[in-house]
Amino acid sequence: MALLNFRKKETPAFGGVNPQLEAFLDGYSIEIMPRTAAKVEDFTALLPKGTRVYIAHIEGTPIEDMVATAKRLADDGYPVMPHFPARIIKNKAMLDNWVAMYRGEAGVDQALLLAGGVDAPHGDYHSSMQLLESGAFDGFERLHVAGHPEGNRDIDPKGGTANVDDALRWKQKFSETTDAEMALATQFAFEAAPIIEWADSLKEAGITIPIHIGIAGPAKLQTMIKFAMACGVGPSLKVLQKRAKDVTKLLLPFEPTEVLSDLAAHKAANPDSNIERVHFFPLGGIKTNANWAIEHGGTAAIPAASDNV
């Protein structure tokens, strides 16, 4: 499918697009890393105008590479949300320096704060709550924190939820005092029912922070299983395991069409749901993910470059 065959201010006719899915994909976000971003020649040919782009900060990635990627995306007109993993930040001086670099060189005013995927903290911080308390993000317009529909063994090693629940209650109170808009950006899962059950349970517990549901973009099944196991995906992993037993589907890419269609139907039937947006982890590549969104998202996924055609 051609990416640039749209005309400015025209509504293209997308045959067969699910209108509920199209509405749900509107305003989706996507996550990249500096090394994956470097492989993309032109983001505006892939991503809709205004797409929020998270930049994952993997341990060992130089801050200069992170900031350069943020600047490139910001220059292309995309809101940038870099990760701040608490456990790889040594001290307040380092944190303040990172913030100053992002703000000064890329105009960043959004951030995802998370504990980070390392076992032992490198310095003074071990949780996103400490980062929120630091004051380093005063004046930011938007702050996101992590959510875990299927639990988080980094916080509750035995698979419980008590520590996670306590952290969410703390973040809820913080959201009521900060001027920044907040949201929960979740780990990906492969089944709608446990996601919906988790979101409903938060609402019942008084956690009203909007939820941006993490979804794994299209990828080879083997790739998907590898990432799912590494990231601690819970019971919904059985969706992939069942697929792996079907030799007729083993070599086909796994796509998020079913889980997103189910979530879109839930959102359409429950407009007051706390599930607000879709956040993509492009495990099979940014271009593959963007092309899937264009195919299934209709007008919600028109690339930014189409405005200039």
Side-chain angles (χ1 to χ4, degrees), residues 202-214:
L202 293 190
K203 194 171 183 180
E204 291 172 5
I207 309 296
T208 60
I209 302 173
I211 300 170
H212 294 200
I213 294 296

PDB file of all heavy atoms in Angstrom, residues 202-214:
ATOM      1  N   LEU A 202      -8.781  -1.037  38.561  1.00  0.00           N
ATOM      2  CA  LEU A 202      -8.163   0.234  38.962  1.00  0.00           C
ATOM      3  C   LEU A 202      -9.238   1.290  39.183  1.00  0.00           C
ATOM      4  O   LEU A 202      -9.195   2.047  40.167  1.00  0.00           O
ATOM      5  CB  LEU A 202      -7.182   0.715  37.891  1.00  0.00           C
ATOM      6  CG  LEU A 202      -5.917  -0.101  37.656  1.00  0.00           C
ATOM      7  CD1 LEU A 202      -4.964   0.677  36.743  1.00  0.00           C
ATOM      8  CD2 LEU A 202      -5.206  -0.438  38.961  1.00  0.00           C
ATOM      9  N   LYS A 203     -10.176   1.337  38.269  1.00  0.00           N
ATOM     10  CA  LYS A 203     -11.240   2.338  38.382  1.00  0.00           C
ATOM     11  C   LYS A 203     -12.041   2.133  39.664  1.00  0.00           C
ATOM     12  O   LYS A 203     -12.378   3.089  40.376  1.00  0.00           O
ATOM     13  CB  LYS A 203     -12.146   2.250  37.152  1.00  0.00           C
ATOM     14  CG  LYS A 203     -13.067   3.441  36.977  1.00  0.00           C
ATOM     15  CD  LYS A 203     -13.765   3.354  35.625  1.00  0.00           C
ATOM     16  CE  LYS A 203     -14.637   4.576  35.397  1.00  0.00           C
ATOM     17  NZ  LYS A 203     -15.334   4.502  34.083  1.00  0.00           N
ATOM     18  N   GLU A 204     -12.325   0.874  39.963  1.00  0.00           N
ATOM     19  CA  GLU A 204     -13.072   0.565  41.187  1.00  0.00           C
ATOM     20  C   GLU A 204     -12.283   0.935  42.438  1.00  0.00           C
ATOM     21  O   GLU A 204     -12.861   1.269  43.476  1.00  0.00           O
ATOM     22  CB  GLU A 204     -13.424  -0.926  41.208  1.00  0.00           C
ATOM     23  CG  GLU A 204     -14.446  -1.330  40.166  1.00  0.00           C
ATOM     24  CD  GLU A 204     -14.631  -2.835  40.078  1.00  0.00           C
ATOM     25  OE1 GLU A 204     -14.012  -3.546  40.908  1.00  0.00           O
ATOM     26  OE2 GLU A 204     -15.370  -3.292  39.192  1.00  0.00           O
ATOM     27  N   ALA A 205     -10.950   0.896  42.342  1.00  0.00           N
ATOM     28  CA  ALA A 205     -10.093   1.230  43.479  1.00  0.00           C
ATOM     29  C   ALA A 205      -9.813   2.729  43.579  1.00  0.00           C
ATOM     30  O   ALA A 205      -9.048   3.155  44.445  1.00  0.00           O
ATOM     31  CB  ALA A 205      -8.778   0.458  43.378  1.00  0.00           C
ATOM     32  N   GLY A 206     -10.403   3.514  42.680  1.00  0.00           N
ATOM     33  CA  GLY A 206     -10.211   4.953  42.724  1.00  0.00           C
ATOM     34  C   GLY A 206      -8.982   5.441  41.979  1.00  0.00           C
ATOM     35  O   GLY A 206      -8.599   6.608  42.117  1.00  0.00           O
ATOM     36  N   ILE A 207      -8.355   4.559  41.174  1.00  0.00           N
ATOM     37  CA  ILE A 207      -7.213   4.958  40.346  1.00  0.00           C
ATOM     38  C   ILE A 207      -7.775   5.446  39.014  1.00  0.00           C
ATOM     39  O   ILE A 207      -8.205   4.649  38.177  1.00  0.00           O
ATOM     40  CB  ILE A 207      -6.228   3.796  40.112  1.00  0.00           C
ATOM     41  CG1 ILE A 207      -5.842   3.124  41.425  1.00  0.00           C
ATOM     42  CG2 ILE A 207      -5.005   4.287  39.348  1.00  0.00           C
ATOM     43  CD1 ILE A 207      -5.094   3.999  42.384  1.00  0.00           C
ATOM     44  N   THR A 208      -7.804   6.745  38.822  1.00  0.00           N
ATOM     45  CA  THR A 208      -8.460   7.323  37.651  1.00  0.00           C
ATOM     46  C   THR A 208      -7.476   7.840  36.607  1.00  0.00           C
ATOM     47  O   THR A 208      -7.885   8.476  35.636  1.00  0.00           O
ATOM     48  CB  THR A 208      -9.390   8.469  38.081  1.00  0.00           C
ATOM     49  OG1 THR A 208      -8.618   9.484  38.742  1.00  0.00           O
ATOM     50  CG2 THR A 208     -10.474   7.968  39.035  1.00  0.00           C
ATOM     51  N   ILE A 209      -6.189   7.588  36.793  1.00  0.00           N
ATOM     52  CA  ILE A 209      -5.204   8.003  35.795  1.00  0.00           C
ATOM     53  C   ILE A 209      -5.529   7.303  34.470  1.00  0.00           C
ATOM     54  O   ILE A 209      -5.708   6.078  34.444  1.00  0.00           O
ATOM     55  CB  ILE A 209      -3.775   7.628  36.240  1.00  0.00           C
ATOM     56  CG1 ILE A 209      -3.444   8.267  37.584  1.00  0.00           C
ATOM     57  CG2 ILE A 209      -2.758   8.063  35.190  1.00  0.00           C
ATOM     58  CD1 ILE A 209      -2.118   7.800  38.168  1.00  0.00           C
ATOM     59  N   PRO A 210      -5.639   8.032  33.353  1.00  0.00           N
ATOM     60  CA  PRO A 210      -5.931   7.392  32.065  1.00  0.00           C
ATOM     61  C   PRO A 210      -4.888   6.344  31.708  1.00  0.00           C
ATOM     62  O   PRO A 210      -3.711   6.463  32.068  1.00  0.00           O
ATOM     63  CB  PRO A 210      -5.898   8.567  31.082  1.00  0.00           C
ATOM     64  CG  PRO A 210      -6.153   9.775  31.912  1.00  0.00           C
ATOM     65  CD  PRO A 210      -5.521   9.491  33.247  1.00  0.00           C
ATOM     66  N   ILE A 211      -5.339   5.328  30.986  1.00  0.00           N
ATOM     67  CA  ILE A 211      -4.474   4.200  30.645  1.00  0.00           C
ATOM     68  C   ILE A 211      -4.191   4.195  29.148  1.00  0.00           C
ATOM     69  O   ILE A 211      -5.111   4.246  28.328  1.00  0.00           O
ATOM     70  CB  ILE A 211      -5.133   2.872  31.050  1.00  0.00           C
ATOM     71  CG1 ILE A 211      -5.389   2.836  32.564  1.00  0.00           C
ATOM     72  CG2 ILE A 211      -4.270   1.690  30.629  1.00  0.00           C
ATOM     73  CD1 ILE A 211      -6.238   1.667  33.004  1.00  0.00           C
ATOM     74  N   HIS A 212      -2.910   4.128  28.795  1.00  0.00           N
ATOM     75  CA  HIS A 212      -2.481   3.949  27.414  1.00  0.00           C
ATOM     76  C   HIS A 212      -1.979   2.517  27.294  1.00  0.00           C
ATOM     77  O   HIS A 212      -0.922   2.168  27.833  1.00  0.00           O
ATOM     78  CB  HIS A 212      -1.385   4.953  27.058  1.00  0.00           C
ATOM     79  CG  HIS A 212      -1.865   6.373  27.049  1.00  0.00           C
ATOM     80  ND1 HIS A 212      -1.192   7.388  26.389  1.00  0.00           N
ATOM     81  CD2 HIS A 212      -2.955   6.963  27.608  1.00  0.00           C
ATOM     82  CE1 HIS A 212      -1.846   8.537  26.540  1.00  0.00           C
ATOM     83  NE2 HIS A 212      -2.912   8.303  27.294  1.00  0.00           N
ATOM     84  N   ILE A 213      -2.756   1.695  26.614  1.00  0.00           N
ATOM     85  CA  ILE A 213      -2.518   0.253  26.598  1.00  0.00           C
ATOM     86  C   ILE A 213      -1.361  -0.109  25.673  1.00  0.00           C
ATOM     87  O   ILE A 213      -1.367   0.207  24.480  1.00  0.00           O
ATOM     88  CB  ILE A 213      -3.782  -0.502  26.146  1.00  0.00           C
ATOM     89  CG1 ILE A 213      -4.895  -0.343  27.190  1.00  0.00           C
ATOM     90  CG2 ILE A 213      -3.483  -1.975  25.916  1.00  0.00           C
ATOM     91  CD1 ILE A 213      -4.582  -0.962  28.524  1.00  0.00           C
ATOM     92  N   GLY A 214      -0.358  -0.791  26.219  1.00  0.00           N
ATOM     93  CA  GLY A 214       0.766  -1.263  25.438  1.00  0.00           C
ATOM     94  C   GLY A 214       0.379  -2.452  24.579  1.00  0.00           C
ATOM     95  O   GLY A 214      -0.247  -3.400  25.064  1.00  0.00           O
TER      96      GLY A 214
END
